[in-house]
Amino acid sequence: MNILNFTFNLASTSIIVYIIKIYSISMCTYYTFLKLINIKNLISLKTFIVFVFTIIITFICGIIKYTTDSFTSIACLILLLSSLYSNITKNKIGYTIILTITSLSINYTLFFLAILINFAFNLILAIQNDYLNIGIMIITHITILYLIFKIKRFKDGFSFLQINLKNEYFDILILNISVSILLSFIILNNFNLILTASLIFCFIIFMIIMFITIQKTLTMYYKHKLLVSELEETKTELENKNKEIEQLEAENLNFSKISHSIAHKQKSLEHKLNQLMLNNEIAPELDISNKVKELSNQCFSNITTTELPKTDIEQIDDMLSFMQDECTKNNIDFEIKLNGNIHHMINNFIDKNDLEILLADHIKNAIIAINHSDNINRSILVKLGMIDGYYGIYVYDSGIEFEIDTLINLGEKPSSTHLDDGGSGMGFLNTFDTLSKCQASIIINEINPPSKENYTKFIAIIFDNKNEYKISSYRSEKIKNVNKRKDLIIEN
């Protein structure tokens, strides 16, 4: 007996033997199906339901095979098993069909391998009983299947088939090979000597290709999974580094703001100390006050220093006095106008420390703007207190305008037109922090280009509980053309 006759005799056995064979392959297909998607609970009510319904399905397919052909029988088997598995596992029918065809092709391949093994036994034992032959082949088939899924790489199923329709390349590849194997087995059952002789070789080739494909696919999947894992780790690490950088930048910015404020206070205190020394209130035994006064008069003889009105808040008066001295050094007229009760202002609208820093920042900015201007008029006016129905701070100067980009970026990032001349960009960041805390608004009003008869601009900080940023400028159209901020109000 050769392999062709042996296969032919198996194919032409009774319907009972065929149903037994199909039932065994179907149950092994269900086992393979569960293993592929890594379902561990094999003994359950669902398995019992599959056990019963598979009997019905195999009887139906057996009748179809003997009334029509093997192709129709196998097609019905695939559709009926897929419908059953889809209802049992609650997976989509398309995904279930792919898994069912793959599982069925694996088991037909293993069953063909069992045929080859049984044929080898028959060469020695010459077993003629069909039921005994089919029983040995079923046991051989089940044993091979069990041993395959005991292999470490296969024991948890095929991971690339466990993610529904997210591995289309693998699905199509496996599906094509599986269908080829099933078609080969169908043709093998419809025995034709010449066709079958060549088909057995093709079937063996398909079987080898399928196992190699599965092995290669698993290797590719694990490499891909490792790469994805490494990318995720790198992404997480990068996000953590970015957070650290953002935190350090925030800390650095906060430190810069604090340093900026402390610098103003330090200079104010130094100025007060110098004034005390000039007035002989400190170290009267050192006879240097007259020399200091003489040098001071020689340096600043162009500007007449007037007595500033007092707010009766010591640190505010000290800061204004220091800024007056800075203006005198830079040959700038400095004037203060007080309206209303400044004590009421710091008790209800702004902390005196914040007020001190606001005055220092904006007067210092005004000095820098004037020093970069060719304007003959060199003057700063500070209005403090109740103005137009609101408490506020107004700082007028005759210096140059803001650069438009600087106006757009104020309060969002450190912006300064004159970094080389003492500007750090921290002043306006501090200002906007204070505005947010006090719910105050800031208005930058550019009156006109530098003019010897008038101030060029003023900055108003108004405690109106609106927290707005507004620009009123003769350059309003140019500013609007480049503005991207939604919180900026631009007026003519």
Side-chain angles (χ1 to χ4, degrees):
M1 178 187 295
N2 60 37
I3 184 66
L4 294 179
N5 290 328
F6 185 83
T7 305
F8 173 74
N9 290 334
L10 183 67
S12 60
T13 51
S14 67
I15 187 172
I16 301 300
V17 174
Y18 179 80
I19 289 173
I20 294 172
K21 181 187 76 172
I22 294 298
Y23 181 78
S24 171
I25 292 174
S26 298
M27 289 307 298
C28 288
T29 297
Y30 179 65
Y31 174 79
T32 306
F33 181 94
L34 296 180
K35 282 292 187 178
L36 289 181
I37 56 177
N38 198 25
I39 294 179
K40 301 293 186 182
N41 188 15
L42 301 178
I43 301 175
S44 63
L45 178 60
K46 291 180 179 180
T47 301
F48 178 75
I49 293 172
V50 172
F51 181 86
V52 173
F53 275 90
T54 303
I55 295 174
I56 299 171
I57 290 170
T58 51
F59 267 100
I60 294 172
C61 292
I63 294 170
I64 291 173
K65 195 263 184 185
Y66 279 89
T67 54
T68 56
D69 53 55
S70 296
F71 180 82
T72 306
S73 175
I74 294 296
C76 289
L77 181 65
I78 291 170
L79 291 175
L80 292 173
L81 289 179
S82 297
S83 300
L84 177 61
Y85 299 163
S86 179
N87 287 319
I88 290 294
T89 61
K90 305 303 180 185
N91 285 320
K92 293 181 179 179
I93 187 65
Y95 173 62
T96 306
I97 288 173
I98 292 174
L99 287 176
T100 303
I101 292 174
T102 303
S103 302
L104 198 59
S105 66
I106 290 172
N107 284 281
Y108 265 108
T109 302
L110 297 180
F111 190 78
F112 182 77
L113 185 60
I115 292 174
L116 296 179
I117 294 171
N118 193 50
F119 172 73
F121 278 112
N122 266 278
L123 290 177
I124 302 170
L125 302 176
I127 300 172
Q128 299 298 321
N129 188 294
D130 290 339
Y131 294 99
L132 185 57
N133 276 322
I134 197 68
I136 293 171
M137 283 185 283
I138 289 172
I139 293 171
T140 305
H141 175 196
I142 294 172
T143 303
I144 296 171
L145 183 64
Y146 176 78
L147 291 175
I148 285 175
F149 283 108
K150 290 298 286 184
I151 298 172
K152 185 177 181 180
R153 174 162 285 194
F154 297 150
K155 70 176 183 178
D156 292 324
F158 298 159
S159 301
F160 61 88
L161 289 173
Q162 293 168 14
I163 305 174
N164 294 9
L165 299 180
K166 291 186 179 180
N167 294 287
E168 289 86 354
Y169 172 77
F170 297 143
D171 290 344
I172 293 170
L173 185 61
I174 295 297
L175 187 61
N176 286 336
I177 295 172
S178 300
V179 169
S180 299
I181 290 173
L182 291 177
L183 287 174
S184 300
F185 208 89
I186 290 168
I187 297 171
L188 193 64
N189 280 334
N190 294 276
F191 183 78
N192 178 288
L193 184 59
I194 298 174
L195 179 61
T196 304
S198 60
L199 192 61
I200 287 178
F201 176 75
C202 294
F203 187 82
I204 293 171
I205 294 297
F206 277 131
M207 182 174 65
I208 294 171
I209 290 173
M210 183 175 187
F211 279 108
I212 292 174
T213 301
I214 291 173
Q215 192 273 332
K216 293 291 185 183
T217 304
L218 282 172
T219 302
M220 290 173 60
Y221 172 78
Y222 287 123
K223 287 181 179 179
H224 176 73
K225 188 176 181 181
L226 181 61
L227 179 61
V228 170
S229 177
E230 289 177 351
L231 287 174
E232 288 296 326
E233 289 177 4
T234 303
K235 182 180 177 182
T236 302
E237 186 177 347
L238 183 60
E239 288 175 353
N240 291 334
K241 291 293 182 184
N242 287 336
K243 288 179 182 177
E244 288 179 13
I245 291 170
E246 288 175 2
Q247 184 178 354
L248 289 172
E249 286 178 346
E251 290 175 358
N252 183 55
L253 184 61
N254 189 48
F255 177 75
S256 298
K257 290 179 183 178
I258 294 171
S259 300
H260 180 80
S261 301
I262 291 174
H264 283 312
K265 292 189 175 186
Q266 180 185 1
K267 290 178 181 178
S268 176
L269 289 173
E270 287 175 356
H271 175 262
K272 185 173 183 179
L273 180 62
N274 291 332
Q275 291 297 317
L276 291 173
M277 289 178 66
L278 289 172
N279 294 328
N280 292 319
E281 294 181 22
I282 293 180
E285 68 278 7
L286 298 177
D287 188 17
I288 61 170
S289 58
N290 291 331
K291 293 181 180 179
V292 174
K293 287 180 180 178
E294 184 181 347
L295 289 171
S296 195
N297 289 332
Q298 290 176 2
C299 293
F300 312 122
S301 58
N302 294 332
I303 296 296
T304 301
T305 302
T306 59
E307 184 73 22
L308 295 178
K310 300 295 183 182
T311 65
D312 294 326
I313 302 165
E314 184 178 7
Q315 67 189 77
I316 302 298
D317 289 333
D318 289 343
M319 180 59 74
L320 291 173
S321 176
F322 167 63
M323 285 299 164
Q324 182 187 39
D325 192 52
E326 289 293 298
C327 287
T328 302
K329 291 177 183 177
N330 287 276
N331 197 27
I332 297 171
D333 287 317
F334 184 70
E335 185 180 357
I336 297 287
K337 288 186 179 181
L338 301 180
N339 297 310
N341 188 341
I342 307 303
H343 282 280
H344 179 76
M345 181 174 168
I346 65 170
N347 288 331
N348 294 276
F349 297 102
I350 184 171
D351 180 78
K352 62 182 177 181
N353 291 315
D354 292 332
L355 177 59
E356 179 187 11
I357 300 305
L358 280 179
L359 288 168
D361 281 332
H362 292 287
I363 296 171
K364 179 69 179 295
N365 288 343
I367 292 171
I368 293 174
I370 290 171
N371 284 338
H372 282 81
S373 170
D374 296 328
N375 196 357
I376 298 173
N377 175 24
R378 296 171 64 84
S379 56
I380 294 173
L381 168 64
V382 176
K383 293 182 180 180
L384 188 61
M386 177 67 74
I387 305 169
D388 295 332
Y390 293 102
Y391 275 95
I393 306 162
Y394 286 66
V395 180
Y396 293 76
D397 71 74
S398 58
I400 61 171
E401 315 99 323
F402 287 96
E403 288 187 359
I404 292 178
D405 287 342
T406 302
L407 283 173
I408 300 300
N409 292 320
L410 287 182
E412 293 194 333
K413 59 183 181 181
S415 299
S416 178
T417 307
H418 307 292
L419 292 172
D420 296 334
D421 198 22
S424 64
M426 292 298 149
F428 270 99
L429 284 181
N430 278 331
T431 295
F432 274 80
D433 287 344
T434 303
L435 293 175
S436 179
K437 183 165 64 174
C438 300
Q439 286 300 294
S441 297
I442 183 169
I443 300 172
I444 297 178
N445 191 321
E446 295 185 327
I447 304 168
N448 48 252
S451 167
K452 64 181 180 180
E453 290 88 11
N454 203 350
Y455 293 105
T456 57
K457 65 179 183 293
F458 69 81
I459 296 173
I461 296 169
I462 304 169
F463 300 100
D464 57 1
N465 206 36
K466 294 181 180 179
N467 195 210
E468 294 178 339
Y469 174 27
K470 186 183 296 184
I471 295 175
S472 179
S473 174
Y474 64 92
R475 302 182 297 163
S476 59
E477 291 303 319
K478 291 182 180 179
I479 299 171
K480 287 178 182 178
N481 289 337
V482 297
N483 177 45
K484 294 182 180 179
R485 289 179 64 164
K486 295 182 179 179
D487 64 329
L488 175 57
I489 302 170
I490 303 173
E491 300 176 342
N492 295 325

